[in-house]
Amino acid sequence: MSITSPSKVNLGLFPTPITKLSRLSSLLNGPEIFMKRDDLSGLALGGNKTRKLEYLFYDAITKDCDTVVTAGAAQSNHCRQTAAAAALLHKSCHLVLGGEPPDTANGNLMLDKLFGSQVHWRGVHRKGEDIPEIVENLKREGSQPYVIPYGGSNEIGAYGFVHAMAELEMQLDTSAITHIVFASSSGGTHAGMMLGKVLLHKAYRLIGINIDKGESNTIPFGDFIVELANRTSLSINSDRRFTAEELILNGDYVGDGYGVIGELEREAISLTAENEAILLDPVYTGRAMGGLIDMIRGGEFNKTDKVLFWHTGGVPALFAYADSLDG
């Protein structure tokens, strides 16, 4: 068997650094905590989606597409990075966003506009439900659109995190790492990590913190991740297949739903900022770090464990959630 690696364009600054969260570890009286800083990936204030977009935009270029179309919530980190990549590569960008246009564009939405993207507001539809209609309109206008799925999460995008796991190996002795904890939302990061881990023959546990109560497509989110991991494996000519028993997806911290900020997120953001001078975002990494903190306090880790928290970015959304963070 020969593993086939897809080609990509260079959009980010890799490898992203790893830092040790010594003060936070001490404060929690828990395991050693390390952080992989994909918030410093470079493109448009950083984020994990840059890894996926490097492969997706290469595919768009090879298909001679002049326009990209993707979807997300109003404060989507994925859409912000897609808009930036499109500007860098001289492609038109159409963003299909959930919600209604706000009186003032701030956070990620302000950056979307600075990068010249065209925004289509779609109310309750934030996961690309209306993309086919927009694609057909663009084709009638003479454009050649390329659809980037919600969160960049298909087998092309997921490979970005297969590669990310190999990057981690070059930076750190992962034989000492017992757990990797991260926000799991659209599925591509989680699926890519699962495949990267087995291809590298690693023993650490991957713990995805579920961010969203909603389902992906028409199947339960956990099933979608496993299916995507299998599709990604097949796409690179690997014979590895996954089952639901191999997935760790912690759904204890979804709270009142996607993008609804509670005390869990507020405390995690404050503790990380005050003790490590690192900013988390209110939707993804704030919730995932809140979950990690709660699990440490609940005794789910030993003091001898070494936990890597994968910071997936999203800091621009802090400004859009200022009122909620003050609550």
Side-chain angles (χ1 to χ4, degrees):
M1 180 184 67
S2 173
I3 302 296
T4 303
S5 299
S7 299
K8 68 185 184 76
V9 295
N10 294 320
L11 297 173
L13 303 176
F14 299 113
T16 55
I18 296 171
T19 188
K20 187 174 179 179
L21 307 187
S22 300
R23 292 187 63 187
L24 191 59
S25 300
S26 177
L27 178 71
L28 296 171
N29 193 31
E32 277 190 286
I33 306 172
F34 299 84
M35 181 182 280
K36 176 73 164 151
R37 299 288 306 273
D38 270 12
D39 58 314
L40 302 178
S41 62
L43 180 69
L45 300 180
N48 67 318
K49 304 301 184 181
T50 300
R51 296 184 183 275
K52 301 177 182 182
L53 292 169
E54 290 192 326
Y55 294 92
L56 289 159
F57 269 89
Y58 181 87
D59 191 48
I61 290 168
T62 61
K63 293 176 178 174
D64 294 323
C65 296
D66 56 14
T67 303
V68 294
V69 184
T70 198
Q75 285 296 324
S76 169
N77 301 305
H78 162 68
C79 288
R80 180 241 313 160
Q81 289 165 85
T82 300
L88 186 63
L89 297 172
H90 307 291
K91 306 287 183 188
S92 296
C93 179
H94 288 253
L95 303 178
V96 186
L97 301 184
E100 305 296 334
D103 293 335
T104 302
N106 59 14
N108 283 313
L109 183 58
M110 180 190 72
L111 299 179
D112 295 340
K113 295 190 173 186
L114 283 176
F115 291 126
S117 63
Q118 183 169 332
V119 174
H120 306 261
W121 293 100
R122 284 299 185 266
V124 296
H125 292 172
R126 64 174 171 87
K127 293 192 174 184
E129 296 90 339
D130 298 332
I131 282 180
E133 171 196 341
I134 291 166
V135 165
E136 286 307 309
N137 290 338
L138 288 168
K139 286 180 178 178
R140 281 195 292 270
E141 294 168 1
S143 297
Q144 293 178 278
Y146 180 88
V147 175
I148 295 176
Y150 178 73
S153 291
N154 61 9
E155 55 269 37
I156 297 172
Y159 186 80
F161 266 85
V162 178
H163 185 267
M165 302 307 275
E167 176 183 298
L168 181 65
E169 288 299 302
M170 295 187 294
Q171 295 177 283
L172 192 67
D173 177 11
T174 59
S175 63
I177 296 296
T178 57
H179 305 78
I180 297 179
V181 178
F182 54 95
S184 188
S185 179
S186 64
T189 296
H190 203 152
M193 283 184 167
M194 288 175 67
L195 181 55
K197 173 191 167 180
V198 299
L199 293 177
L200 293 164
H201 308 289
K202 307 310 296 185
Y204 44 68
R205 299 182 74 206
L206 295 173
I207 302 177
I209 304 296
N210 196 2
I211 301 302
D212 192 352
K213 286 182 177 180
E215 305 296 346
S216 180
N217 300 322
T218 59
I219 64 174
F221 182 47
D223 293 347
F224 175 78
I225 295 171
V226 172
E227 180 187 281
L228 179 54
N230 287 330
R231 293 204 317 265
T232 307
S233 181
L234 182 64
S235 75
I236 61 171
N237 197 32
S238 164
D239 58 10
R240 182 62 160 84
R241 297 296 178 267
F242 297 89
T243 64
E245 289 70 30
E246 296 173 88
L247 175 73
I248 304 176
L249 180 66
N250 188 324
D252 293 342
Y253 304 105
V254 292
D256 290 329
Y258 179 88
V260 181
I261 309 308
E263 187 54 36
L264 179 96
E265 293 83 9
R266 281 191 287 267
E267 184 195 26
I269 291 168
S270 294
L271 285 180
T272 307
E274 291 170 6
N275 289 280
E276 301 291 349
I278 294 172
L279 297 174
L280 303 176
D281 86 289
V283 179
Y284 300 98
T285 53
R287 182 163 290 179
M289 179 61 83
L292 173 58
I293 290 169
D294 185 70
M295 287 189 289
I296 291 172
R297 287 171 174 164
E300 295 189 36
F301 300 97
N302 298 318
K303 287 199 68 172
T304 56
D305 285 338
K306 296 183 186 297
V307 179
L308 179 88
F309 181 85
W310 203 297
H311 191 326
T312 51
V315 170
L318 277 171
F319 303 101
Y321 281 84
D323 291 343
S324 297
L325 292 169
D326 279 340

